[in-house]
Amino acid sequence: MQIFKVGGAVRDRLLGLPVTDIDWVVVGATAEEMLAKGYRPVGADFPVFLHPQTGEEYALARTERKSGRGYGGFTFHASPEVTLEEDLIRRDLTINAMAEDDQQNLTDPYHGQRDLEARILRHVSPAFAEDPLRVLRVARFAARYAGLGFTVASETLELMRQLSESGELEALTAERSWKEISRALMEDQPQVFIQVLRDCGALKVLMPEVDALFGVPQPEAHHPEIDTGLHTLSVLEQSALHKQPLTVRWACLLHDLGKGLTPEEAWPRHIAHEHTGLKLIKAVNERIKAPKDCQELALLVGQYHTHGHRALELKASTLLELLQSFDVYRRPQRFEEFIVACEMDARGRKGLEQRSYPQADYLRGAASAARGVAVQPLLEKGFKGPELGEALKRERLKALKAYKENA
């Protein structure tokens, strides 16, 4: 029995990055031997075991063969005869197909170290094209390592393109897709993920509503970058630079979908795109099965982001309606996420990345003014039920009018 550290732990150590998760491969062992040593079995499809002390995953060396469609369409074979090289060849990228023993002696049959040094994401073997999930994984690695200068090898991008055109991507479950998409959006450069998906034709399969934004112009006065797709990538980039949470990043990606529906004869203006885009945001949310908090914020940002930009001009009554729409009294955090999404949208424009955004503090002040209206005095005056609600609304409107006068 031989045990090797494999995959990301080896890759990140060689890159000088922190190693978080460690995967191990066991060569020359049977499941019975693992159980006898106290390892606990997990995973129904292939033999993976948890170490009795550390809880880390140890997998028996295995081969795999395509047997059906999609991510799960594989049969696995594990036996003591499977070599380390045979196990490594089934992995996605050369930089993930390296192993080392307990003396840090490297096994690198597919030249992963060479590709690390050349900053290339390259597939290990033609079997790469058998697993559609790898399209998303490679795009995610591109987003993670873009800051180090990594790019996708042209031949790998071609295989990803073939996968995108094959219909295999449709076989991915929404749960698997979302897991990769959400992880990619939280990388340092999530805009690279979207760009790579577009480069290989996967974006128009997975999120055609986002893909449709590229080539759609906007007024240059407000959008020096002009192209709506490029603007969306810039907004996403800003959300990562400012360390925003997943909810905000998802909303940033989807906020302008309505512009993809504007008739060409109306370009570059996009009248009422906030409302026309809602059905598209809803469609993406449901197809990808994003979590409820991501879905809700994306819809609210889509509908109201232009309100955010015009906050200083809004009437007190419109401000009140905006605050009510976000249920700002019970869910203040959601309104805060809306504010920062609007700020990312304002900054995601060519040459305007450092612009100030006074609307943010103005909206926070408005929310604070409305929340500052006390209920108790109204109860003491005898208001209750619907009448109490109307009285509260009147007092909040009065507070917002006073706030506007003094702002």
Side-chain angles (χ1 to χ4, degrees):
M1 181 192 293
Q2 293 175 286
I3 296 176
F4 298 89
K5 191 180 292 183
V6 294
V10 180
R11 175 198 68 225
D12 287 347
R13 184 186 72 77
L14 292 172
L15 283 171
L17 298 174
V19 173
T20 49
D21 295 323
I22 300 179
D23 292 319
W24 304 88
V25 159
V26 183
V27 177
T30 63
E32 290 73 25
E33 287 175 276
M34 299 295 284
L35 293 171
K37 290 179 181 294
Y39 287 81
R40 302 191 307 280
V42 292
D45 297 329
F46 44 80
V48 177
F49 301 84
L50 299 182
H51 191 283
Q53 275 81 49
T54 67
E56 291 176 335
E57 286 193 0
Y58 287 66
L60 294 187
R62 62 187 187 268
T63 59
E64 62 186 33
R65 185 169 54 82
K66 184 76 169 167
S67 59
R69 289 188 78 207
Y71 165 75
F74 293 89
T75 52
F76 297 93
H77 169 68
S79 83
E81 286 74 46
V82 176
T83 66
L84 179 60
E85 289 75 15
E86 286 173 324
D87 182 89
L88 293 175
I89 200 171
R90 67 182 178 76
R91 295 171 188 269
D92 50 6
L93 297 171
T94 59
I95 64 168
N96 296 330
M98 296 181 284
E100 59 185 26
D101 62 17
D102 56 4
Q103 302 300 309
Q104 290 191 344
N105 295 311
L106 193 67
T107 300
D108 182 18
Y110 309 109
H111 311 297
Q113 191 168 22
R114 185 178 69 192
D115 284 341
L116 272 187
E117 290 164 2
R119 300 303 198 239
I120 294 287
L121 302 173
R122 191 192 315 276
H123 63 284
V124 177
S125 78
F128 175 94
E130 294 177 349
D131 184 355
L133 191 67
R134 288 177 169 177
V135 172
L136 291 165
R137 276 176 58 83
V138 173
R140 174 164 64 81
F141 281 121
R144 176 181 298 178
Y145 297 119
L148 297 177
F150 276 82
T151 57
V152 182
S154 57
E155 62 270 29
T156 303
L157 200 63
E158 179 55 34
L159 279 182
M160 292 164 69
R161 194 174 291 117
Q162 291 173 21
L163 261 172
S164 300
E165 292 169 358
S166 70
E168 280 274 321
L169 287 177
E170 287 95 327
L172 288 175
T173 65
E175 290 75 17
R176 289 299 311 182
S177 296
W178 175 254
K179 186 175 180 181
E180 289 297 325
I181 290 167
S182 58
R183 288 179 72 184
L185 289 179
M186 292 308 293
E187 298 289 1
D188 285 343
Q189 296 200 38
Q191 78 282 3
V192 173
F193 172 73
I194 300 299
Q195 185 63 60
V196 170
L197 290 184
R198 184 162 187 268
D199 290 343
C200 71
L203 189 61
K204 68 173 178 248
V205 177
L206 297 167
M207 288 184 273
E209 300 87 351
V210 177
D211 191 66
L213 298 177
F214 290 87
V216 174
Q218 305 164 103
E220 191 172 358
H222 301 296
H223 289 275
E225 71 289 344
I226 299 176
D227 187 284
T228 308
L230 296 181
H231 165 62
T232 298
L233 295 183
S234 296
V235 177
L236 199 51
E237 182 179 12
Q238 288 297 314
S239 73
L241 283 170
H242 290 85
K243 309 293 184 192
Q244 299 301 343
L246 178 61
T247 45
V248 172
R249 298 187 192 203
W250 182 243
C252 285
L253 178 62
L254 304 187
H255 78 285
D256 263 350
L257 291 189
K259 290 179 179 177
L261 294 176
T262 305
E264 284 189 35
E265 59 269 20
W267 289 354
R269 299 182 69 202
H270 298 279
I271 296 166
H273 75 275
E274 310 90 341
H275 300 288
T276 57
L278 292 179
K279 62 183 178 186
L280 299 184
I281 296 172
K282 193 173 182 185
V284 177
N285 275 336
E286 290 177 356
R287 187 170 62 252
I288 301 290
K289 288 189 168 56
K292 189 179 178 188
D293 57 346
C294 288
Q295 293 198 26
E296 288 178 351
L297 188 68
L299 284 164
L300 286 164
V301 170
Q303 184 170 359
Y304 293 113
H305 62 276
T306 50
H307 274 46
H309 301 328
R310 295 189 300 107
L312 280 69
E313 309 156 28
L314 297 180
K315 295 185 297 185
S317 57
T318 308
L319 264 178
L320 181 60
E321 286 171 18
L322 180 66
L323 296 172
Q324 305 273 82
S325 299
F326 279 84
D327 192 8
V328 75
Y329 315 106
R330 290 184 301 176
R331 300 184 62 179
Q333 182 57 32
R334 185 165 66 175
F335 191 61
E336 176 59 30
E337 290 181 353
F338 163 75
I339 292 171
V340 295
C342 290
E343 184 171 354
M344 298 306 101
D345 180 25
R347 290 175 182 268
R349 303 168 196 223
K350 190 177 179 182
L352 300 174
E353 295 85 358
Q354 305 302 321
R355 76 193 311 186
S356 63
Y357 195 69
Q359 295 93 323
D361 283 340
Y362 181 82
L363 286 168
R364 291 183 184 109
S368 180
R371 277 201 302 268
V373 173
V375 180
Q376 192 59 36
L378 299 173
L379 290 171
E380 289 170 3
K381 288 180 181 177
F383 288 108
K384 55 187 175 183
E387 288 182 346
L388 176 62
E390 287 302 313
L392 253 180
K393 197 180 286 187
R394 284 194 300 273
E395 291 303 312
R396 285 167 176 162
L397 184 59
K398 202 182 296 181
L400 287 170
K401 283 177 178 173
Y403 171 72
K404 276 187 72 66
E405 285 171 14
N406 297 318

